């Protein structure tokens, strides 16, 4: 039984071996000339067979195929070159940009909104405002729901001076986008140009509520200045400085406004802040120099002006102030040279012409003084001081008839300056018209008393006080004017301190809103009975403010800064007629 069982197992094993050999006969290579397979070869072939089976099964069981990246979607033909147009535009390569725009519009038959939009922007930069307007209107037709297109249409209308049409388009854009501060800001600017200041203030305040911006603050402050409301303008600029303390334009303008009100301490503070952030800010430098000039510190002011001259060597206000510094130091030839350079740079600036006439009067060059003063009169026909100085020049040119006409015009245009009436009274007395001289003297007394009632601390020029007293004696009238004693004390102090700068006193009749007078010219008079030579001073205009010479009188940057002579005012001796 054991033998039979062994033989049966042997038979099974042999059968399995034969099956294995048959399997390898199909997949393996046999040695040449030998049909048998060795044990080592069998193991090697078995391993190779296992490897082969594994390689076949890997893609099915373990390997996961990654999806191939999809091809980038094709851009619509209308937007295909927008990126290239934008790239050339921001690089300011306008010629290449226009060439790409031309190709894009040719391919799209003019239907590409972005290409037309950028082409319109380039046209505007080249000064072709009307062409840009037409292109922006085309953009608005292609996309009527875009507020940006309407804003650009309104902007082009604004640049063409069509402010009412621009307002209508801005209102339409505002209906499409009610949260855009720029629309309200631009509407406020348009209303300013058509003199609708109420709506302008409303729109600018709405813009500030939506988004505070430096430019909006500046326009709102300028609008208050147009209304002659300096206090509100200062409040607006103070809020602007709190919002943007690093903006030197805001700080400088606020300092100039404080200068206009005579608050020099606050003015110095804000001008100093402007110079802290921008040491080369020529407007702040010029304003600070003019304040030093107003207090008689001509050398320090000249140092400031020297710094400003490097930044703006062709500034008419700068050369005007330099000229008046030389005038304060009695260097008249240098003063005339600087003033004539300022006049060359800005021939229609009445302040420069005024100062030129004043310097020539001081040098007794009356024909030249008449030339510049008459030009200033043509530019400022409502300024009484100009007519008065013109009358002084005509008197010294022995033209009494025209001098009297000039004095009469000065009296008609003046409302509060007693100096005009005092000079006219001296002239009439020298013409033996004592009755008319008495009337002018009484009018002078009325104006002086009115100034004293309004301001008890008002100080009068000591030379004006002395001349008025001499006139009262000559006309044999009782003096009813209360002269502030500070005027006389100021003259005595001026005589006793020859090496020190005297405290700046405001001449009689200087306009408070214009600041202190730069210097004074002696009026013409003859010897009055029982009196010494009569000398009457006339106020001069302030030097130019820091800013552009072509600004209007109401511009926020035009804030007059003035200075006054620290020595005794030069006198012109009376000449016998």
């Amino acid at each position: 039984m054991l033998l039979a069982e062994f033989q049966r197992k042997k038979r099974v094993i042999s059968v399995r071996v034969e099956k294995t050999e048959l399997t390898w006969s199909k997949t393996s290579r046999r040695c040449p000339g030998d049909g048998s397979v060795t044990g080592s070869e069998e193991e090697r072939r078995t391993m190779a067979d296992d490897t082969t089976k594994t390689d076949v099964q890997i893609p099915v069981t373990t390997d996961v195929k990654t999806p191939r990246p999809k091809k980038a979607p094709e851009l619509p033909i209308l937007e295909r070159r927008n990126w290239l147009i934008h790239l050339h535009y921001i690089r300011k390569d306008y010629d290449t940009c226009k060439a790409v725009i031309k190709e894009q519009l040719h391919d799209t038959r003019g239907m590409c909104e972005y290409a037309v939009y950028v082409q319109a922007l380039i046209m505007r930069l080249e000064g072709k405002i009307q062409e840009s307007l037409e292109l922006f209107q085309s953009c608005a037709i292609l996309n009527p729901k875009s507020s940006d297109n309407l804003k650009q249409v309104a902007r082009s209308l604004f640049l063409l001076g069509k402010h009412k049409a621009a307002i209508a388009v801005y209102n339409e854009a505002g209906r499409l986008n009610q949260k855009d501060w720029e629309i309200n800001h631009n509407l406020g600017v348009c209303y300013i140009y058509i003199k609708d200041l109420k709506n302008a203030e409303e729109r600018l305040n709405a813009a500030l509520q939506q988004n505070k911006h430096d430019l909006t603050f500046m326009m709102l402050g300028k609008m208050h200045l147009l209304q002659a409301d300096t206090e509100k303008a200062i409040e607006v600029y103070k809020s602007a400085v709190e919002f943007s303390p690093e903006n030197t334009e805001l700080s400088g303008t606020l300092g100039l406004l404080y200068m206009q009100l005579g608050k020099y301490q606050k003015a110095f503070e804000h001008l100093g802040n402007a110079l802290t952030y921008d040491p080369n800010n020529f407007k702040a430098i010029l304003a600070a120099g003019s304040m030093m000039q107003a207090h008689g510190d001509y050398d320090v002011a000249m140092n400031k002006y020297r710094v400003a001259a490097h930044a703006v060597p062709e500034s008419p206000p700068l050369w005007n102030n330099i000229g008046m510094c030389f005038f304060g130091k009695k260097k008249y030839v240098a003063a005339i040279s600087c003033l004539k350079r300022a006049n060359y740079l800005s021939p229609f600036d009445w302040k420069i012409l005024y100062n030129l006439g004043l310097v020539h009067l001081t040098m007794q060059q009356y024909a030249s003084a008449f030339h510049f003063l008459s030009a200033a009169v043509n530019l400022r026909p409502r300024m009484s001081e100009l007519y008065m100085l013109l009358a002084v020049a005509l008197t010294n040119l022995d033209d009494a008839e025209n001098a009297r006409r000039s004095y009469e015009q000065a009296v008609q245009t003046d409302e509060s300056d007693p100096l005009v009436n005092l000079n006219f009274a001296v002239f009439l007395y020298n013409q033996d018209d004592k009755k008319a001289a008495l009337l002018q003297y009484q009018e002078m007394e009325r104006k002086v008393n009115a100034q004293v009632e309004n301001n008890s601390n008002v100080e009068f020029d000591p030379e004006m006080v002395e001349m008025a007293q001499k006139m009262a004696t000559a006309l044999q009238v009782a003096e009813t004017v209360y002269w502030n004693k500070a005027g006389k004390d100021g003259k005595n102090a001026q005589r006793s301190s020859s090496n020190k700068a005297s405290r700046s006193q405001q001449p009689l009749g200087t306009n408070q809103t214009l600041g202190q007078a730069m210097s004074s010219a002696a009026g013409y008079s003859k010897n009055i009975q029982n009196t010494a030579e009569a000398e009457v001073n006339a106020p001069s205009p302030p030097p130019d403010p820091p800013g552009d010479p072509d600004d209007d009188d109401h511009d926020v940057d035009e804030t007059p800064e003035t200075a006054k002579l620290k020595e005794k005012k030069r006198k012109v001796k009376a000449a016998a007629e």
Side-chain angles (χ1 to χ4, degrees):
M1 291 180 66
L2 294 173
L3 181 61
E5 183 69 21
F6 175 77
Q7 290 178 352
R8 186 179 60 81
K9 291 182 178 179
K10 184 178 179 182
R11 194 181 304 115
V12 174
I13 292 172
S14 63
V15 172
R16 291 178 180 176
V17 172
E18 289 175 0
K19 289 182 179 179
T20 303
E21 290 177 354
L22 290 173
T23 303
W24 276 108
S25 66
K26 296 179 181 179
T27 57
S28 60
R29 291 163 40 179
R30 298 179 181 272
C31 293
D34 187 5
S36 63
V37 180
T38 62
S40 60
E41 289 177 346
E42 183 180 355
E43 293 177 359
R44 186 174 64 253
R45 291 173 182 174
T46 305
M47 293 176 62
D49 184 65
D50 294 339
T51 304
T52 304
K53 293 179 180 179
T54 304
D55 291 340
V56 175
Q57 294 175 357
I58 283 175
V60 178
T61 59
T62 60
D63 190 12
V64 180
K65 293 184 179 180
T66 58
R68 292 182 61 185
K70 296 182 179 180
K71 187 177 180 181
E74 289 289 338
L75 291 175
I77 192 172
L78 297 178
E79 313 293 339
R80 184 171 296 173
R81 295 188 181 91
N82 284 2
W83 68 273
L84 188 58
I85 294 172
H86 176 73
L87 183 65
H88 288 300
Y89 179 76
I90 62 175
R91 289 180 177 178
K92 298 184 179 181
D93 187 2
Y94 299 132
D95 293 334
T96 307
C97 186
K98 288 192 290 186
V100 177
I101 290 173
K102 185 177 180 180
E103 294 179 4
Q104 180 76 345
L105 293 178
H106 179 268
D107 294 342
T108 61
R109 298 181 181 180
M111 298 300 292
C112 181
E113 178 190 353
Y114 185 74
V116 178
Y117 187 91
V118 176
Q119 186 179 19
L121 292 176
I122 296 175
M123 288 286 185
R124 181 189 292 170
L125 291 174
E126 293 175 349
K128 301 175 182 178
I129 310 298
Q130 185 62 40
E131 290 82 350
S132 71
L133 173 62
E134 295 173 357
L135 292 173
F136 282 127
Q137 288 174 339
S138 300
C139 291
I141 294 174
L142 292 173
N143 188 2
K145 294 184 179 181
S146 172
S147 61
D148 292 333
N149 291 336
L150 293 178
K151 284 162 57 178
Q152 295 298 337
V153 171
R155 175 66 178 169
S156 296
L157 289 171
F158 173 80
L159 294 176
L160 290 172
K162 301 176 181 180
H163 301 117
K164 292 184 179 180
I167 289 173
V169 178
Y170 273 127
N171 286 326
E172 181 65 26
R175 283 190 287 270
L176 295 176
N177 187 359
Q178 298 179 357
K179 296 182 180 181
D180 192 344
W181 71 272
E182 188 178 354
I183 295 175
N184 284 318
H185 171 86
N186 291 334
L187 275 172
V189 174
C190 290
Y191 280 124
I192 288 176
Y193 274 89
I194 65 173
K195 307 300 181 183
D196 189 354
L197 301 182
K198 183 178 179 180
N199 284 327
E201 182 178 3
E202 180 182 351
R203 289 294 184 174
L204 291 173
N205 285 324
L208 288 176
Q209 291 177 358
Q210 292 175 342
N211 184 16
K212 292 184 178 180
H213 198 275
D214 297 350
L215 186 59
T216 308
F217 279 114
M218 294 179 66
M219 291 305 302
L220 186 59
K222 185 175 181 179
M223 189 213 64
H224 287 306
L225 289 177
L226 290 176
Q227 295 176 327
D229 194 346
T230 308
E231 295 296 335
K232 282 189 177 181
I234 288 177
E235 292 298 324
V236 170
Y237 279 106
K238 285 173 64 177
S239 301
V241 169
E242 292 175 359
F243 169 72
S244 180
E246 298 182 1
N247 191 319
T248 57
E249 184 74 18
L250 295 173
S251 299
T253 303
L254 184 57
L256 294 177
L257 290 176
Y258 278 125
M259 282 182 61
Q260 186 176 0
L261 296 179
K263 300 179 180 179
Y264 295 107
Q265 184 64 33
K266 292 184 177 180
F268 262 121
E269 179 183 349
H270 290 286
L271 291 174
N273 291 337
L275 291 175
T276 300
Y277 290 107
D278 184 10
N280 297 322
N281 189 334
F282 80 95
K283 288 186 178 182
I285 293 173
L286 194 58
S290 66
M291 291 178 65
M292 298 171 185
Q293 184 178 352
H295 291 81
D297 297 331
Y298 299 113
D299 293 330
V300 180
M302 290 287 284
N303 290 334
K304 291 289 184 182
Y305 295 149
R306 189 177 293 111
V307 176
H310 289 287
V312 282
E314 304 298 329
S315 172
L318 174 65
W319 288 106
N320 177 73
N321 287 8
I322 293 174
M324 297 314 290
C325 273
F326 282 122
F327 181 65
K329 298 173 72 172
K330 294 186 177 180
K331 297 180 179 180
Y332 302 121
V333 176
I336 290 177
S337 298
C338 294
L339 288 172
K340 284 192 174 180
R341 179 170 184 176
N343 184 45
Y344 172 78
L345 296 172
S346 181
F348 298 107
D349 194 330
W350 68 272
K351 299 183 186 71
I352 299 173
L353 296 170
Y354 191 129
N355 288 336
L356 274 169
L358 195 64
V359 177
H360 284 293
L361 271 180
T362 306
M363 297 182 68
Q364 301 182 14
Q365 296 174 351
Y366 302 114
S368 297
F370 171 80
H371 169 73
F372 290 111
L373 290 172
S374 60
V377 165
N378 291 328
L379 296 172
R380 299 284 290 192
R382 303 297 302 172
M383 189 171 183
S384 60
E385 289 88 350
L386 282 171
Y387 290 105
M388 181 181 65
L389 291 181
L390 188 62
V392 172
L394 289 170
T395 304
N396 286 278
L397 290 172
D398 296 332
D399 191 352
E401 182 180 358
N402 287 323
R404 182 163 186 158
R405 292 178 181 175
S406 184
Y407 273 124
E408 291 173 351
Q409 185 66 29
V411 170
Q412 290 178 3
T413 56
D414 177 71
E415 296 180 356
S416 60
D417 189 354
L419 184 60
V420 175
N421 301 97
L422 181 58
N423 273 345
F424 195 15
V426 173
F427 172 80
L428 293 172
Y429 184 87
N430 293 330
Q431 297 294 321
D432 296 329
D433 191 352
K434 295 183 180 180
K435 184 177 180 180
L438 179 60
L439 293 175
Q440 293 300 323
Y441 181 81
Q442 292 173 347
E443 180 66 17
M444 182 270 298
E445 286 183 332
R446 184 189 66 79
K447 291 181 179 179
V448 169
N449 291 329
Q451 288 190 9
V452 172
E453 290 177 1
N454 294 331
N455 184 9
S456 59
N457 296 324
V458 64
E459 296 179 358
F460 299 103
D461 193 330
E463 294 183 8
M464 302 300 101
V465 177
E466 183 180 356
M467 186 63 241
Q469 292 172 347
K470 290 178 180 179
M471 278 297 300
T473 303
L475 293 172
Q476 299 179 355
V477 296
E479 187 177 0
T480 61
V481 179
Y482 172 75
W483 299 103
N484 196 330
K485 293 182 179 181
K488 297 181 181 180
D489 296 339
K491 185 173 182 179
N492 295 331
Q494 192 177 34
R495 290 175 176 173
S496 62
S497 58
S498 58
N499 296 327
K500 296 182 180 179
S502 63
R503 187 171 65 87
S504 176
Q505 290 182 342
Q506 192 166 9
L508 185 67
T510 303
N511 192 339
Q512 297 288 341
T513 61
L514 293 180
Q516 294 176 328
M518 169 66 70
S519 59
S520 61
Y524 171 81
S525 63
K526 287 188 175 182
N527 291 332
I528 304 178
Q529 279 186 329
N530 302 326
T531 62
E533 289 181 344
E535 294 132 1
V536 181
N537 289 341
S540 71
D544 285 337
D548 296 333
D550 56 350
D551 290 342
D552 295 335
D553 291 338
H554 55 261
D555 190 80
V556 67
D557 290 336
E558 186 170 359
T559 306
E561 305 92 24
T562 59
K564 191 180 178 182
L565 288 176
K566 63 180 177 180
E567 296 89 0
K568 187 177 180 179
K569 302 173 183 62
R570 185 177 178 84
K571 303 176 181 179
V572 179
K573 294 183 179 180
E577 184 175 7

